[in-house]
Amino acid sequence: MQQAHVESHLHHLSQAIEALQNAQEVVPDNTPFEYELLLAHVFLENGCYAEAEQYFKLALDASADKRETMLMIGVAFAESERYREAREIFTTLLQLFGDNEACSVKPYLAYCCYQTHDQEGFLRYLRDAVSVSKETTEYLFSSVFPNVAPEDYYLYAFKSVHGHYPQEGE
């Protein structure tokens, strides 16, 4: 699997697919879901969007845990800088599973909003992101807010958007 990941990152699509096929033969325990999800990610990373979509759908259909699979698909889109598609997936997750189950998407939703210059969406999701997953929020935003504690990201983001901290008023 590692070889497939490296080849895909180097944009060697055929070698990445071959490495995945070889890994599937060596480790037949891998479920079709895992194989299809990895194959979809390789296609996505290499700009083959129709193929990626096809394999993501197959992976989702074969998955026992739809919420987790949708989250992984959304993350794959975000990592491939397809922020609008990722945001759609994360928003759907939130609608389907509600705040309690899908709240782990809020850091990703904040990040997708940030990347697509939706300042209000960015602030709306960032406000809850740290309480949902401090580690994910820090991973996504530490380069945006260097030397700032994750608990303070929202304050700095608010000031960046509105010109003042929330408690200061206008």
Side-chain angles (χ1 to χ4, degrees):
M1 298 291 179
Q2 184 66 28
Q3 182 65 34
H5 180 73
V6 169
E7 295 292 352
S8 181
H9 252 34
L10 294 171
H11 299 289
H12 299 154
L13 180 60
S14 58
Q15 292 94 329
I17 292 170
E18 183 179 332
L20 270 178
Q21 290 168 339
N22 291 340
Q24 184 67 12
E25 290 171 12
V26 172
V27 186
D29 304 1
N30 287 340
T31 64
F33 149 75
E34 292 169 317
Y35 174 74
E36 288 157 351
L37 191 63
L38 290 168
L39 192 55
H41 194 102
V42 166
F43 280 125
L44 181 64
E45 188 172 52
N46 285 277
C48 302
Y49 304 118
E51 293 88 346
E53 210 169 297
Q54 173 189 349
Y55 282 98
F56 278 136
K57 184 180 179 336
L58 289 170
L60 188 59
D61 290 345
S63 171
D65 185 349
K66 304 294 187 213
R67 185 187 67 80
E68 183 65 24
T69 302
M70 286 180 70
L71 179 63
M72 292 185 332
I73 292 169
V75 169
F77 274 97
E79 287 175 348
S80 296
E81 299 180 4
R82 309 274 305 180
Y83 301 113
R84 292 190 197 290
E85 292 94 333
R87 184 175 175 181
E88 286 177 26
I89 293 166
F90 295 138
T91 300
T92 299
L93 258 171
L94 208 51
Q95 292 168 344
L96 289 175
F97 297 100
D99 271 341
N100 294 334
E101 297 236 2
C103 63
S104 61
V105 303
K106 288 184 179 179
Y108 290 106
L109 274 166
Y111 189 71
C112 289
C113 289
Y114 173 78
Q115 292 294 341
T116 57
H117 309 290
D118 174 358
Q119 295 177 331
E120 292 306 316
F122 167 52
L123 290 176
R124 181 174 57 249
Y125 294 116
L126 186 63
R127 181 180 19 245
D128 297 329
V130 171
S131 64
V132 166
S133 177
K134 181 180 177 180
E135 297 79 21
T136 302
T137 306
E138 187 171 23
Y139 169 75
L140 294 170
F141 289 103
S142 62
S143 64
V144 175
F145 303 108
N147 303 315
V148 174
E151 295 81 2
D152 294 330
Y153 289 172
Y154 177 75
L155 296 174
Y156 281 87
F158 190 96
K159 183 175 183 186
S160 174
V161 170
H162 295 292
H164 59 85
Y165 292 110
Q167 63 272 23
E168 293 176 342
E170 292 190 39

